[in-house]
Amino acid sequence: MYRIAPSILSANFAKLGEEITNVIDAGADIIHFDVMDNHYVPNLTIGPLICEAIRPLTDAVIDVHLMVEPVDRIIPDFAKAGANIISFHPEASRHIDRTIGLIKDEGCKAGMVFNPGTPLHYLDHVLDKLDLVLIMSVNPGFGGQKFIPEALTKLTAVRKRINASGKDIMLEIDGGVKVDNIAEIARAGADTFVAGSAIYNAGKDSDPHRYDSVISALRAELNKV
Ligand code: DX5
Ligand code: ZN
């Protein structure tokens, strides 16, 4: 019922393949793939070529979080590169219903992402078309930031809307998720948990990098909910 999604933003990029297979072997469910363009957000990361390169390494869902503007041009490239879920920020799309349709026409699940300051009204007319809602609990652009508690209120509000819709829509949280706050976040309504620094920093001192204990610790907290 709960899914753990390591963000490869905090992985060692010189060993990216191993860093992905190691978290999956350690029990992670989803690979969270952060795409930044130095325009919508003040950082620059990875694109469709890297997605295509990692696709053969795992059957796990690749969850592409687009922090790019404009959005639509790059969506087919990620679909062809093997993405399973593609999420975008509504402020970065001129026509949000069209963007959702484009993601689905390309055969992927569609997600909408809410920054800490973004109102939920963007859901009003499109919630039924979404497969995922992603609540940001940091401002997008960097790993390792502190969890913004207001995100809990937002999760609870979105959980109510999803339940009222009767649809099977994932509710994901991204930013500052740690062993000591994941249970509280689950109680607020999230079912999918992105964790970058919490997971990748925990394994970086072992050789090879091992992530079993941190992923078990996250799951143990979720089992208490
Ligand atoms: C931030 C990214 C996050 C980030 C989370 O813009 O969307 O996915 O990697 O990193 P942590 O878990 O370290 O806050
Ligand atoms: Zn992300």
Side-chain angles (χ1 to χ4, degrees):
M1 148 182 198
Y2 292 127
R3 290 168 284 250
I4 295 178
S7 162
I8 57 173
L9 185 62
S10 292
N12 177 347
F13 278 93
K15 300 183 176 179
L16 186 57
E18 268 173 58
E19 291 277 72
I20 287 167
T21 50
N22 286 351
V23 288
I24 296 297
D25 292 348
D29 304 293
I30 290 177
I31 294 299
H32 185 78
F33 191 104
D34 285 308
V35 183
M36 304 185 187
D37 68 349
N38 188 39
H39 173 72
Y40 179 66
V41 290
N43 199 357
L44 186 63
T45 61
I46 48 181
L49 282 176
I50 306 285
C51 187
E52 189 181 0
I54 66 170
R55 181 66 284 180
L57 302 179
T58 178
D59 293 330
V61 163
I62 299 180
D63 165 32
V64 171
H65 174 191
L66 293 180
M67 288 161 274
V68 304
E69 187 179 7
V71 179
D72 293 2
R73 226 275 322 136
I74 202 78
I75 286 169
D77 297 14
F78 275 103
K80 284 179 192 73
N84 303 96
I85 305 173
I86 299 179
S87 302
F88 69 100
H89 290 250
E91 303 93 332
S93 166
R94 195 63 74 87
H95 307 281
I96 63 176
D97 183 76
R98 175 178 285 154
T99 300
I100 295 166
L102 179 59
I103 295 169
K104 299 190 122 178
D105 287 349
E106 290 289 335
C108 296
K109 292 189 169 182
M112 193 182 283
V113 192
F114 292 83
N115 287 333
T118 304
L120 294 175
H121 65 63
Y122 285 105
L123 291 174
D124 287 355
H125 306 286
V126 297
L127 179 65
D128 284 6
K129 297 178 179 174
L130 293 172
D131 301 291
L132 176 143
V133 176
L134 171 49
I135 299 298
M136 294 300 301
S137 36
V138 297
N139 285 294
F142 303 94
Q145 303 181 82
K146 204 168 166 304
F147 186 87
I148 298 172
E150 169 63 16
L152 297 171
T153 314
K154 235 168 170 179
L155 281 174
T156 305
V158 179
R159 169 51 61 202
K160 277 194 194 135
R161 292 176 75 150
I162 289 175
N163 290 354
S165 79
K167 302 263 173 176
D168 184 17
I169 301 170
M170 296 162 72
L171 180 51
E172 187 171 46
I173 185 84
D174 186 4
V177 176
K178 308 279 175 212
V179 173
D180 66 10
N181 63 8
I182 194 168
E184 189 185 11
I185 297 166
R187 277 185 212 105
D191 55 32
T192 304
F193 305 84
V194 176
S197 53
I199 291 177
Y200 279 106
N201 291 354
K204 74 172 192 289
D205 294 329
S206 52
D207 186 26
H209 292 178
R210 294 199 61 104
Y211 301 107
D212 314 61
S213 50
V214 65
I215 290 175
S216 306
L218 291 164
R219 279 216 200 278
E221 286 298 310
L222 289 172
N223 286 337
K224 295 179 190 167
V225 176

